[in-house]
Amino acid sequence: MRRAIVFAVLAAAAILATYWLAQNPGQVSIEWLGYRLEPPIGFLIIAAIVFSAAVVLLYRIVRAVLGTPGRIGQALASGRRKRGYKALSQGMVAVAAGDAQEAARWSRKADELLEDPPITLLLSAQAAQLGGDEKAAEKYFNAMLEKPETRFLGLRGLLMQALRAGDNERALGYVRQAHAMRPKTPWVVTNLFQLSERTGDLDGAARALKQAVKIKAMDKAEAEHKGAVITLAKAHRLLAEGQKEEAFTQSRLADRSAPDLLAAALLHARLAVERKAWREAAKVVERSWPRTPSAELAAVYRDAAPEAKPLEQVKRFTKLAVLNPTHRESHLALAEANLEAELWGEARRHLGALVKLEGEDPPRARVCRLMARLEEAEHKDTATARRWLERAAAAPPDPAWVCGSCGAVATDWSADCGACGSFDSLTWRVPRHVGPVSLGGGEVLQIAAKAPPGSVKAPPESGRLAGSPAADTPSRGLPAVTPLPGPPDRVKPAEPQAAGDGSAPAAPKPVAEEEGDDSEAAAVEGYLPPRR
């Protein structure tokens, strides 16, 4: 449309010029080399136009002739470039298919045809990695660093190599360079956080977390939890350096930032006890007990009242257990407190209520050890106590700090798993494996025990007493416990259930003398195992 308008305007101008010349005729007189010419003005203008067109045409012909070799070279280069990019595409396909030889062949061909552009370096590096030649791949990645357009890709390739080699310090150097180039790239920020934390740069990890939230590379709630873990790790580091006041400040900050983080509450309460801030320590435990009760919290709660008498401790733990009355740790804490106060019946009642909970039959190791203490303290029955201790050695494990990535069990909490190095993977729960194998650094690796083929453990029956035949049968897939020898010589019923307390077991039935041997589990339900 635009061209049509221009053509119409030019045509109208030409028509007006012709009409004007026709209305105003004239002649031009030219004398040159003894000749005299007097052509009309219109003829002279037409001659000038024809001459100009002839000159332009001649110029184009000469230019076309002189430019022919260049156009032939461009055509050849274009064909070479097309073949090079085709080879590059084939090489990428070979890398995706995992064909190392084919990828290397297409990489060499693309390098020859494309005269080593930046993209061929990446293909060459990937082909070398696919063939297992990490040194050649590193050479290509380093060559990419020399070109601005491929420097970022080269840093990423070197970063991946360092991570595979486990060289966190070198990887951190590469990711910092990449962060300087592109600070808003999500994978750069997340890797900067992880590597900073692994190498001990906790302040750098905290800064990376803030930036990850800012660029929306990480959810805010997740970042706040990880930030609390970083703060708790700082507290542990300060405590190891002997800076208890700074450690207490950091642990309190971590506890307030993540109330569900059991490790933060534990350290906060322990340091409060050391500072003799008894009330603060007790409040921390009481706040955490409804969400994350544990044996370690119960121990700190006991230490928060060092001058309390055993009966006073029973009252304190009764108040604490109300915050989470159906949890196993509440029954265990009350059982131990009653045991210290020599309230044997109450201790036995809480242990009996505990084994009725889901997943607590057969009794775990700590229950067996408490029963050993109870038998020895109440009846001076060292033989029965020894049998309970023997059973504790083969009993299911108690909750501990377990890595969610590799399943390793740690004696103490740390930001990183001592076995696999996973960040924030230790949680307080029951280990899934049995058969401990000692590791360095206080870690314990559990080896899974296989159940016999086709064996299925029957669910516990509602209201079943531990002295019944079903209870005396060892659970399949778990080590059997040898029943106590000899017939029962006395029967002691469970303590009566307190009004309003729904956790006490039902009143047990008498056991006939002809029933034979009883299991130790009978004592947990209110019966006493036979004495020799």
Side-chain angles (χ1 to χ4, degrees):
M1 184 66 181
R2 185 178 179 182
R3 291 183 179 182
I5 294 174
V6 172
F7 176 77
V9 171
L10 293 177
I15 293 172
L16 289 175
T18 303
Y19 176 76
W20 186 82
L21 288 175
Q23 293 296 324
N24 300 280
Q27 290 183 342
V28 178
S29 178
I30 300 175
E31 291 185 2
W32 187 49
L33 296 178
Y35 294 96
R36 182 186 179 94
L37 298 175
E38 295 181 351
I41 187 64
F43 177 79
L44 185 61
I45 292 175
I46 293 174
I49 293 174
V50 172
F51 178 76
S52 299
V55 171
V56 171
L57 181 61
L58 180 62
Y59 170 76
R60 295 199 171 203
I61 293 173
V62 172
R63 184 180 177 183
V65 172
L66 296 178
T68 299
R71 285 195 298 274
I72 294 174
Q74 289 179 357
L76 294 176
S78 178
R80 184 183 183 89
R81 187 165 52 253
K82 288 181 180 180
R83 294 194 301 274
Y85 281 114
K86 183 178 180 181
L88 187 64
S89 301
Q90 295 292 335
M92 292 293 185
V93 171
V95 169
D99 191 342
Q101 295 182 350
E102 193 72 7
R105 184 174 71 85
W106 286 112
S107 173
R108 289 191 297 269
K109 187 172 182 179
D111 191 36
E112 294 173 358
L113 294 173
L114 296 178
E115 298 178 355
D116 195 24
I119 195 66
T120 59
L121 288 175
L122 178 60
L123 177 60
S124 300
Q126 290 181 337
Q129 283 185 322
L130 198 59
D133 192 350
E134 291 294 334
K135 291 185 178 180
E138 183 178 1
K139 180 187 70 174
Y140 288 120
F141 285 133
N142 283 318
M144 294 171 69
L145 298 182
E146 300 175 0
K147 301 183 178 183
E149 60 270 26
T150 58
R151 180 175 177 80
F152 188 74
L153 289 176
L155 287 172
R156 179 166 188 172
L158 292 171
L159 170 64
M160 295 299 107
Q161 280 193 316
L163 289 176
R164 282 194 294 270
D167 192 345
N168 292 327
E169 293 288 346
R170 186 161 61 98
L172 181 59
Y174 291 135
V175 79
R176 282 175 175 170
Q177 295 181 53
H179 183 259
M181 295 182 65
R182 298 186 181 182
K184 295 184 178 181
T185 303
W187 70 263
V188 173
V189 178
T190 53
N191 276 277
L192 179 61
F193 162 71
Q194 294 172 0
L195 290 169
S196 297
E197 188 276 329
R198 289 179 191 174
T199 54
D201 185 8
L202 300 180
D203 293 331
R207 290 192 298 269
L209 270 180
K210 293 180 180 179
Q211 188 174 7
V213 175
K214 186 176 180 180
I215 65 175
K216 298 182 179 180
M218 188 181 298
D219 182 72
K220 185 177 180 180
E222 179 185 0
E224 289 178 351
H225 177 80
K226 291 183 182 295
V229 175
I230 293 295
T231 304
L232 183 58
K234 291 181 183 179
H236 278 277
R237 177 183 294 180
L238 291 169
L239 185 61
E241 295 172 355
Q243 304 180 46
K244 292 188 177 182
E245 289 299 322
E246 292 80 358
F248 174 73
T249 302
Q250 293 294 324
S251 66
R252 182 166 54 185
L253 178 60
D255 186 25
R256 292 176 179 177
S257 301
D260 292 335
L261 187 58
L262 173 60
L266 276 172
L267 185 60
H268 182 192
R270 284 171 179 168
L271 293 179
V273 169
E274 291 186 10
R275 299 173 80 247
K276 297 183 179 180
W278 316 120
R279 181 173 298 180
E280 181 177 356
K283 287 184 177 180
V284 170
V285 176
E286 291 171 359
R287 190 193 68 240
S288 301
W289 195 263
R291 292 185 294 267
T292 54
S294 72
E296 296 185 0
L297 274 179
V300 175
Y301 194 69
R302 185 179 299 106
D303 296 338
E307 298 180 358
K309 296 180 180 179
L311 287 178
E312 293 175 347
Q313 291 284 17
V314 171
K315 294 180 181 179
R316 294 178 70 249
F317 276 99
T318 301
K319 176 184 175 182
L320 180 67
V322 170
L323 301 175
N324 200 339
T326 60
H327 199 277
R328 69 182 304 272
E329 295 297 341
S330 295
H331 287 293
L332 282 171
L334 280 172
E336 190 165 3
N338 282 284
L339 184 60
E340 294 290 339
E342 299 183 359
L343 301 177
W344 319 123
E346 283 297 306
R348 195 179 298 274
R349 183 175 68 85
H350 283 290
L351 291 175
L354 173 62
V355 296
K356 285 190 174 183
L357 299 178
E358 183 179 359
E360 297 297 330
D361 186 13
R364 298 188 181 276
R366 188 178 172 201
V367 175
C368 296
R369 289 192 293 270
L370 286 176
M371 282 303 306
R373 289 177 55 190
L374 180 59
E375 291 296 338
E376 186 171 4
E378 182 182 8
H379 303 297
K380 310 301 180 184
D381 191 346
T382 57
T384 303
R386 185 178 65 253
R387 302 294 294 175
W388 275 109
L389 292 177
E390 291 174 357
R391 180 166 184 171
D398 290 300
W401 293 110
V402 183
C403 176
S405 298
C406 67
V409 179
T411 55
D412 295 306
W413 181 90
S414 61
D416 298 316
C417 173
C420 66
S422 299
F423 173 72
D424 190 26
S425 61
L426 293 179
T427 56
W428 184 263
R429 61 180 177 83
V430 176
R432 292 174 295 179
H433 302 80
V434 295
V437 177
S438 296
L439 294 176
E443 305 293 337
V444 177
L445 180 65
Q446 299 288 335
I447 304 173
K450 299 181 179 179
S455 64
V456 178
K457 181 180 178 180
E461 299 178 11
S462 175
R464 175 172 58 83
L465 299 179
S468 62
D472 294 337
T473 304
S475 300
R476 297 182 181 178
L478 295 172
V481 179
T482 306
L484 293 175
D489 53 0
R490 74 173 179 273
V491 174
K492 180 179 179 181
E495 293 293 325
Q497 179 176 348
D501 188 356
S503 61
K509 298 178 181 179
V511 180
E513 292 185 358
E514 60 269 18
E515 287 182 1
D517 294 349
D518 279 339
S519 169
E520 294 93 329
V524 179
E525 294 295 323
Y527 292 100
L528 294 175
R531 300 176 61 186
R532 294 189 234 187

